[in-house]
Amino acid sequence: MNARGTTIVGGGLVGALLATLLAQRGFSVDVFERRPDPRKAGYAGGRSINLALAERGLHGLRLAGLTGEIMRLAVMMRGRMVHHRDGHAELLRYGRDDSEVIWSISRGRLNIALIDAAERAGARFHFDRRLVGAEFADGVTLHFHDDVAGTTHEHACDYVLGADGAGSAVRAAMNARRALGERVEELGHGYKELEIPAAEPRAEGPRPWAEEQGRTAAESPGFQPSAPGPRPSLFALEPNALHIWPRGAYMCIALPNAEGSFTVTLFLPNAGDPSFATVATPAAARALFERDFTDLLPLIPELEQDFGANPVGVLSTLYLDRWHLDGRALLLGDAAHAIVPFHGQGMNCGFEDAVELAALLDERDDDLAWTFAEFERRRRPNAEAIAKMALENYVEMRDSVADAGFLLRRELGRVLAGRHPARFVPRYSMVTFTRMPYAQAFARGAIQDQLLHELTAGIDRIDDVDLERADRLVRERLSALDAA
């Protein structure tokens, strides 16, 4: 077996980063992608919700040497800009300052940049190759169909890595050979994408947010791009924030794009009122926005066209009991653990998968059954933890950010983080600004959440919290974290 000859099915974000990391280590990499080359045909991905790039994802880009190239496409987001029903808005920072931010980036642009990087490293991409079957014998034989040319293709390899997304064909082929214990839990909510276009300069009247107010990665302290990047145009909203219009059981969000537009996503239940069952036409969408998103409506001039043209996206969580078939096949990214997008960690988690797997293959390529089992042992508990946190974050985003009790606990959490920086770290910060294992962040977060509920029980103001008791409970219940 030649473990250095690697076949990846799926040329999306995770597959392309993995191809880069392996090719840079001297692996011979072939990537098969069912879609056409996005550099020629334009990006035609699945979910197109803008991506939130955080520390875990940035780490993968750094290891691949791609930070400078890719971050020129990103826009900084300092926190959540919460738009209340009465029209006022407030910024809830993600971290302490601008050293703790996340970055909005277009899925399509990032994918193209990663494909270019993988090819530069030596990986070979085969586009328009839809996997239609696989045979697992002493090695692996993959069968592909080219839907454009109408031709079939066969590829023999020692093993296959499935990075082909939530609807993975590799997973289906593996499951046909041996049951993987697949479970899909639907959220019961869906989404539609809309757009706020870049604002036009005005000769008179209120100005939209000016170009200099939108900070891209290239404008951040210490950032040195390898080549000039795109400059933002005029933004209709504060550019350096993730905007949320929380409305209890539903919400809208808007993420900035580098050229000045915003990608807007409407999340609604699938049933009930309002839901995608009752808001089923462009006219019904306008009525909903006139009632519940009055400040957002004027910023979406093509609301009816966008609503009518874009499909309702499905939101669900994938669970598997097994990710690998001995040493012949392994799943990673969404193919192994697709999650809902409400913590902005799907791509970041997938990039962590790629980093972990590339290192394991490089260290131990003589026993792939052990390597694949070890990868699953390390990653599955963390994938399950972020899946839970993503579901919890949906409730927080659509409802809790407008709740007084939540805001009080959040404020106290910041106070305790300042008083005990080595012990009390907000869960969002552990997930977003560190590479602490998700499972550890989930466990510590549960302890901290219980502590905050205890300390704020029957209290309405931060000044009424017993900080001496709070200090004692923090020391008793939370161990000190390593300085690293």
Side-chain angles (χ1 to χ4, degrees), residues 119-381:
E119 287 189 337
R120 287 197 302 270
R124 295 173 295 276
F125 279 77
H126 311 270
F127 294 100
D128 295 309
R129 296 291 188 271
R130 176 170 57 89
L131 183 68
V132 294
E135 299 164 14
F136 300 98
D138 291 338
V140 181
T141 301
L142 303 175
H143 301 278
F144 297 95
H145 188 265
D146 184 331
D147 292 331
V148 176
T151 55
T152 58
H153 304 267
E154 190 175 283
H155 176 76
C157 54
D158 291 320
Y159 65 94
V160 59
L161 305 176
D164 51 339
S168 171
V170 175
R171 187 176 72 243
M174 292 168 61
N175 196 56
R177 178 63 182 254
R178 181 190 177 195
L180 302 177
E182 179 176 330
R183 307 179 307 285
V184 177
E185 295 183 3
E186 294 190 0
L187 182 61
H189 291 231
Y191 67 89
K192 278 235 185 193
E193 277 207 345
L194 311 166
E195 183 184 40
I196 298 173
E200 295 295 331
R202 300 177 191 148
E204 300 179 351
R207 290 186 63 212
W209 291 87
E211 175 179 323
E212 62 269 17
Q213 291 177 287
R215 173 178 283 184
T216 62
E219 298 167 302
S220 296
F223 182 83
Q224 295 181 347
S226 57
R231 293 283 297 171
S233 181
L234 299 180
F235 293 85
L237 291 167
E238 156 62 48
N240 295 128
L242 186 156
H243 294 261
I244 306 178
W245 289 259
R247 298 299 182 259
Y250 53 101
M251 68 176 181
C252 268
I253 66 172
L255 277 73
N257 296 305
E259 77 279 2
S261 66
F262 286 81
T263 299
V264 179
T265 310
L266 169 66
F267 295 95
L268 285 176
N270 294 331
D273 187 17
S275 69
F276 281 116
T278 59
V279 185
T281 66
R286 173 164 285 276
L288 174 71
F289 274 73
E290 288 176 345
R291 185 188 74 191
D292 291 339
F293 305 107
T294 54
D295 58 331
L296 177 57
L297 177 59
L299 305 179
I300 310 177
E302 297 187 357
L303 172 65
E304 286 92 344
Q305 295 94 315
D306 288 348
F307 191 90
N310 296 333
V312 176
V314 176
L315 297 167
S316 59
T317 304
L318 169 69
Y319 301 95
L320 297 177
D321 293 335
R322 283 169 293 281
W323 290 7
H324 72 287
L325 181 63
D326 47 64
R328 290 173 290 179
L330 174 70
L331 301 170
L332 69 156
D334 282 355
H337 48 73
I339 63 176
V340 294
F342 303 112
H343 216 308
Q345 286 293 308
M347 173 193 64
N348 293 285
C349 182
F351 280 9
E352 274 198 331
D353 282 356
V355 168
E356 188 86 58
L357 181 56
L360 273 170
L361 283 170
D362 198 28
E363 294 166 8
R364 186 77 180 271
D365 61 2
D366 59 332
D367 185 349
L368 290 178
W370 180 91
T371 298
F372 290 176
E374 178 65 11
F375 172 80
E376 179 180 334
R377 185 193 69 80
R378 294 183 188 183
R379 293 300 297 161
R380 190 148 68 93

Side-chain angles (χ1 to χ4, degrees), residues 456-476:
T456 57
I459 291 175
D460 298 323
R461 300 185 314 125
I462 190 70
D463 292 342
D464 295 333
V465 174
D466 184 343
L467 290 179
E468 289 187 7
R469 178 184 175 221
D471 292 338
R472 175 172 54 81
L473 292 178
V474 168
R475 287 191 292 267
E476 289 176 356

